[in-house]
Amino acid sequence: MRADLVLVGFGNVGRRFAGLVSEVRPRLLDEWDLDCRITCIVTRRHGGAFRPSGIDGVRAADILEETESLEGLHDPAAGAAPRTGFDAIRLVADSTAPLRVLVETTTLNVHDGQPAVDHVRAALSAGLNVVTANKGPAAFAYRELHAKAGAAGLSFLFEGAVMDGIPVFNLVRETLPAVNVLGFRGVVNATTNHILTALEDGEEFGPALRRMQAEGIAEADASLDVDGWDAAAKAAALANVLMDAGITPHTVSRAGIGPQSAAQARRARECGRRLRLVAEGRRGAIPAVGPTELPEDDLLAGLRGTANALVLETDLLGRIVVGQLDSGLTQTAYAVLSDLVAIRRAARREAPARRTP
Ligand SMILES: NC(=O)c1ccc[n+]([C@@H]2O[C@H](COP(=O)([O-])OP(=O)(O)OC[C@H]3O[C@@H](n4cnc5c(N)ncnc54)[C@H](OP(=O)(O)O)[C@@H]3O)[C@@H](O)[C@H]2O)c1
């Protein structure tokens, strides 16, 4: 089954996703009968391109790096090149492919989640399924977007918004029927965990942060990580999706880390404790994010570097832990890919794939 993809945002995550789609193409075809074709890419400052016959995503990433523009990839016979995400969505809405999907990986905006929320709204209105790694839509407008997708018979998926490709939302939705999530507690921001681990090992704040920026793991505006906004957006998304909270990241009680955390991290370690940026929430209560000293035998205290883990407290299964020891761009790109396969699976319930894994 062919899926035409419109990539709104083509930065670290978008480019790694395009590469991954190309790397796993034979498996997607063989195992899922999923034929992904990127037909449109648009950025904020580097132009956009529409090519109904398909764009080679790996070549697009190379061209973007060489020329700082995507314009050269545009097919002039297809009209004007898209200039905004909304142009791109309109162009792909005309495709006759059985699956049309918006892959939204624009920058996180912690003020109001825009323009990602409007991109998702526009795509659902135009009949496109939506996959996003951006926390904004689930953190600011989950109820509305989930209802809109449901009414249109479309998917609105965002596994990459929390803990990259490690299933959190998909885990609960697909594998925990009749289970109520009562609360969560976790280390969910790789950049701050890397920095706090480095600080307790005696390193300085600046170099540790710069390493995360160099690897493309820190947010474009790294203050979003260190001030706790990224974790607050994740806490809001978790509370909204798993516990129907109807909140935004601004509701979350939030504290971040900074160079002053070095002394606290080292002191905690000397006392047999560990300083971690913990996000927690309980059904009916306001979630909180902040640096927390944990006893050494706390599961979260043992997370070093970019490792993340989330404990879900449930009514029927007690506490469940999901975690990742390595996080990075491939893991985030995989989250987007896994959501695409989930969309194909939903479609497959009507038209079975060739081989069931
Ligand atoms: N990096 C990670 O490890 C990671 C992990 C999980 C989730 N995420 C989330 O994934 C998203 C993307 O992250 P990233 O690291 O790829 O960010 P990035 O490298 O800064 O890339 C963002 C992309 O979005 C484009 N963009 C921004 N505003 C736009 C707009 N209004 N219309 C169209 N394109 C727009 C940018 O275009 P220009 O370059 O032209 O400005 C760029 O191509 C973020 O929401 C982030 O929170 C990232």
Side-chain angles (χ1 to χ4, degrees):
M1 181 180 282
R2 206 177 84 209
D4 277 3
L5 312 183
V6 49
L7 272 51
V8 177
F10 199 54
N12 293 310
V13 175
R15 293 196 298 261
R16 184 65 195 102
F17 167 73
L20 191 59
V21 166
S22 159
E23 288 159 33
V24 301
R25 186 174 171 71
R27 289 192 67 178
L28 293 178
L29 278 168
D30 184 39
E31 294 180 12
W32 299 104
D33 182 28
L34 178 59
D35 177 12
C36 291
R37 194 164 70 168
I38 297 169
T39 56
C40 194
I41 306 178
V42 73
T43 65
R44 178 175 42 189
R45 295 164 303 177
H46 298 91
F50 177 52
R51 187 164 280 275
S53 59
I55 295 171
D56 179 335
V58 176
R59 188 163 160 258
D62 290 344
I63 286 181
L64 185 62
E65 195 171 316
E66 283 160 23
T67 68
E68 301 220 337
S69 170
L70 291 168
E71 306 282 334
L73 288 165
H74 181 66
D75 177 0
R83 302 182 67 81
T84 68
F86 304 101
D87 292 345
I89 289 162
R90 272 191 297 274
L91 287 168
V92 175
D94 289 337
S95 152
T96 54
L99 290 176
R100 292 160 303 155
V101 185
L102 165 66
V103 177
E104 220 286 354
T105 62
T106 63
T107 324
L108 171 65
N109 171 350
V110 287
H111 298 294
D112 55 9
Q114 295 292 15
V117 172
D118 280 346
H119 287 153
V120 176
R121 281 192 187 114
L124 294 172
S125 295
L128 272 65
N129 294 282
V130 174
V131 172
T132 181
N134 191 321
K135 291 157 273 286
F140 282 91
Y142 174 69
R143 270 189 199 152
E144 176 214 325
L145 298 174
H146 176 67
K148 190 172 172 72
L154 296 165
S155 294
F156 161 48
L157 300 175
F158 39 79
E159 193 56 60
V162 177
M163 288 197 3
D164 306 328
I166 306 307
V168 175
F169 301 114
N170 292 341
L171 176 88
V172 174
R173 192 183 58 246
E174 300 291 336
T175 65
L176 302 180
V179 166
N180 281 314
V181 176
L182 306 175
F184 65 85
R185 181 172 167 273
V187 166
V188 292
N189 180 272
T191 297
T192 47
N193 205 57
H194 175 84
I195 294 172
L196 288 173
T197 313
L199 294 182
E200 69 191 14
D201 288 346
E203 272 195 65
E204 294 302 321
F205 187 89
L209 172 57
R210 282 195 287 280
R211 263 201 304 281
M212 291 293 88
Q213 288 172 312
E215 287 180 29
I217 292 176
E219 287 291 327
D221 171 2
S223 68
L224 294 183
D225 291 303
V226 297
D227 293 345
W229 276 114
D230 174 80
K234 287 169 177 164
L238 288 165
N240 287 344
V241 178
L242 303 180
M243 301 188 293
D244 193 28
I247 61 168
T248 79
H250 299 276
T251 319
V252 176
S253 161
R254 176 186 54 82
I257 64 165
Q260 76 287 353
S261 307
Q264 195 186 354
R266 282 168 209 154
R267 208 173 38 246
R269 188 175 186 166
E270 280 159 22
C271 303
R273 299 168 74 82
R274 292 286 185 273
L275 187 67
R276 296 289 179 261
L277 191 78
V278 175
E280 50 193 328
R282 288 197 63 77
R283 194 172 276 270
I286 295 196
V289 166
T292 310
E293 286 190 27
L294 303 171
E296 227 166 19
D297 61 356
D298 186 310
L299 182 117
L300 301 182
L303 298 168
R304 290 183 56 80
T306 57
N308 282 187
L310 185 71
V311 182
L312 295 178
E313 190 183 333
T314 71
D315 56 351
L316 301 180
L317 296 177
R319 285 171 296 164
I320 300 167
V321 184
V322 280
Q324 61 177 353
L325 299 183
D326 306 296
S327 74
L329 284 174
T330 298
Q331 284 84 344
T332 307
Y334 175 78
V336 177
L337 187 83
S338 74
D339 281 343
L340 267 182
V341 172
I343 288 171
R344 174 64 186 99
R345 264 198 195 126
R348 195 174 68 155
R349 285 180 198 127
E350 288 153 35
R354 275 176 263 155
R355 200 179 92 192
T356 308

